[in-house]
Amino acid sequence: MIPAGDTLFHNLLLAYDGSQHCRDVLHKAATLASQCGARVHLLSVAPYPGPMAIGEGFETGLLLEADKERYQQILDQGIAEMKTFGLEVSGHLEIGDAAERIATIAAEVDADLVIVGHHPRHGLERWLRASVGSALLDRLDCNLLIFQESTD
C-alpha cells in the first residue's frame, strides 16, 4: 500500500504521434497522471526526411519544415486534450530518431515514467523496423510503460 501523500510517479513523459492508438494512450496516461498528481511532458518526434527523398532531389528543408508544422499541430492538439484533464502539461517537439530523442528528453526532464504506444508489426515490417519500445529498454534510466494496440 502506498502511504497517503506519496505517489508512484511525479514526472511522466508521453511519446505522442497523434494516431488513434496514441490518442487512446493519451487518455490512459492522463488518468494515471491525475491519480498520481504528476506533471506530464508530451513529446512528438518528427523523423528526418528519408533517404529516398534526399536521393530523389527533394528540397529536404521544405520537407522538414512541413513535417515540423504537422507534428507541432499534433503536439498542440495533444496538449489541449491533456489540459482538459486539469493537468500541468508541457510540450516538446523534436526531430530525429524516436527512441534516441525520447531517451534524451526523458533524461532532460527527469522523467520517472516514459509511456509509449506500440503498433504490432507483421511480416517483413517486423524485421525492417525495430520497435521504439524495445529500443528504449537499454536507453532509459526510468520506468517504461508500453500500451499495446489492440489487434481486434
Side-chain angles (χ1 to χ4, degrees):
M1 186 103 205
I2 299 170
D6 285 353
T7 62
L8 289 173
F9 305 109
H10 302 280
N11 223 4
L12 309 181
L13 175 65
L14 171 61
Y16 185 68
D17 68 8
S19 66
Q20 181 58 53
H21 176 57
C22 264
R23 288 193 301 270
D24 294 342
V25 171
L26 182 136
H27 287 237
K28 292 173 184 174
T31 300
L32 177 61
S34 294
Q35 291 172 347
C36 292
R39 175 177 178 78
V40 177
H41 299 271
L42 200 60
L43 170 64
S44 284
V45 181
Y48 285 120
M52 286 293 287
I54 294 168
E56 293 293 324
F58 288 104
E59 178 61 48
T60 56
L62 294 176
L63 284 174
L64 191 56
E65 195 57 39
D67 273 351
K68 281 174 53 178
E69 288 176 21
R70 185 170 63 87
Y71 278 86
Q72 185 64 55
Q73 289 175 344
I74 289 168
L75 182 60
D76 291 344
Q77 290 169 350
I79 291 169
E81 184 70 23
M82 277 286 194
K83 287 185 176 181
T84 66
F85 287 86
L87 296 168
E88 183 180 349
V89 184
S90 61
H92 306 267
L93 177 62
E94 295 289 320
I95 300 167
D97 174 70
E100 185 269 321
R101 298 312 311 147
I102 292 168
T104 298
I105 298 301
E108 287 177 9
V109 302
D110 197 27
D112 45 20
L113 178 66
V114 171
I115 302 171
V116 298
H118 175 72
H119 308 282
R121 294 182 175 90
H122 304 286
L124 191 56
E125 184 182 20
R126 173 177 276 160
W127 294 101
L128 294 176
R129 280 186 51 204
S131 161
V132 171
S134 64
L136 286 171
L137 288 172
D138 293 328
R139 295 181 183 190
L140 294 176
D141 291 327
C142 65
N143 295 292
L144 174 63
L145 177 60
I146 301 172
F147 283 100
Q148 173 80 12
E149 182 176 32
S150 174
T151 56
D152 297 340

